Amino acid sequence: MKPLARVILRMLSRPATVVAVSVIMAAYTLLYLWLTGDIAEGGTGDWQAAFPAWARAFQTRGPFQFEPVGLIGLGALVWTFSPFNTLIAATMGLLVGLNVVAGWWLWRAPRQCGLGGTSTGLLGAIPALLAGGACCAPIVLIWLGLPIAGVLASLTPLLVPVALLLLVAGLWLSLRRLVGQVSPR
């Protein structure tokens, strides 16, 4: 097995780490879906699910935004379910969660990683959080109605792949530094 995969498996062998990654992933996924409009208020209060449009699964409504195939009523919320939008959101949430946990591990054991100060590992998690929010930042500005939102809205299609690349690169760099580490203190 490759050393980086061993580090991920070692991190995920601890229940607390699995819970942390899962909570971060779920929170990020829900926030992403809320900000992109896939989850919104306006439900009838009923719990329902209908998926009549599976043929539209591959139709796009914009770059990295796909048409919904069904509707899920969650009480006061409505989720216009798109499997690809959900997959993108969950993938980014997983990468953010793994980056945060890897940054935590680096922060907890800096001497074993050849780092000098205890804040170095925590600083390594900051780019992961910024990259994870890169795709949502313009959407938040639009949602808040700020004037600069129009300028940033044109960049939104580029930010999803850039954020994914930055999250993967940040995780790879963190895992490389964690190779050989036994466990955090």
Side-chain angles (χ1 to χ4, degrees), residues 68-88:
V69 299
L71 181 76
I72 302 171
L74 304 167
L77 298 176
V78 175
W79 181 5
T80 52
F81 179 74
S82 168
F84 293 113
N85 290 350
T86 305
L87 180 64
I88 290 169

Side-chain angles (χ1 to χ4, degrees), residues 170-182:
L171 182 61
W172 181 73
L173 289 172
S174 294
L175 293 176
R176 276 195 36 207
R177 295 174 104 179
L178 285 171
V179 170
Q181 175 185 348
V182 177

Side-chain angles (χ1 to χ4, degrees), residues 58-135:
F58 292 102
Q59 292 178 0
T60 60
R61 59 180 165 172
F64 300 100
Q65 282 293 321
F66 295 88
E67 289 290 334
V69 299
L71 181 76
I72 302 171
L74 304 167
L77 298 176
V78 175
W79 181 5
T80 52
F81 179 74
S82 168
F84 293 113
N85 290 350
T86 305
L87 180 64
I88 290 169
T91 301
M92 291 184 72
L94 177 64
L95 287 171
V96 169
L98 288 173
N99 270 290
V100 169
V101 168
W104 173 258
W105 277 49
L106 283 171
W107 179 64
R108 297 294 291 162
R111 287 183 181 77
Q112 294 174 357
C113 298
L115 303 173
T118 57
S119 63
T120 310
L122 191 57
L123 291 175
I126 291 173
L129 295 175
L130 294 176
C135 63

Side-chain angles (χ1 to χ4, degrees), residues 63-64 134-135 152-165:
F64 300 100
C135 63
L152 292 178
S154 63
L155 297 175
T156 301
L158 300 173
L159 294 179
V160 171
V162 167
L164 282 170
L165 288 173

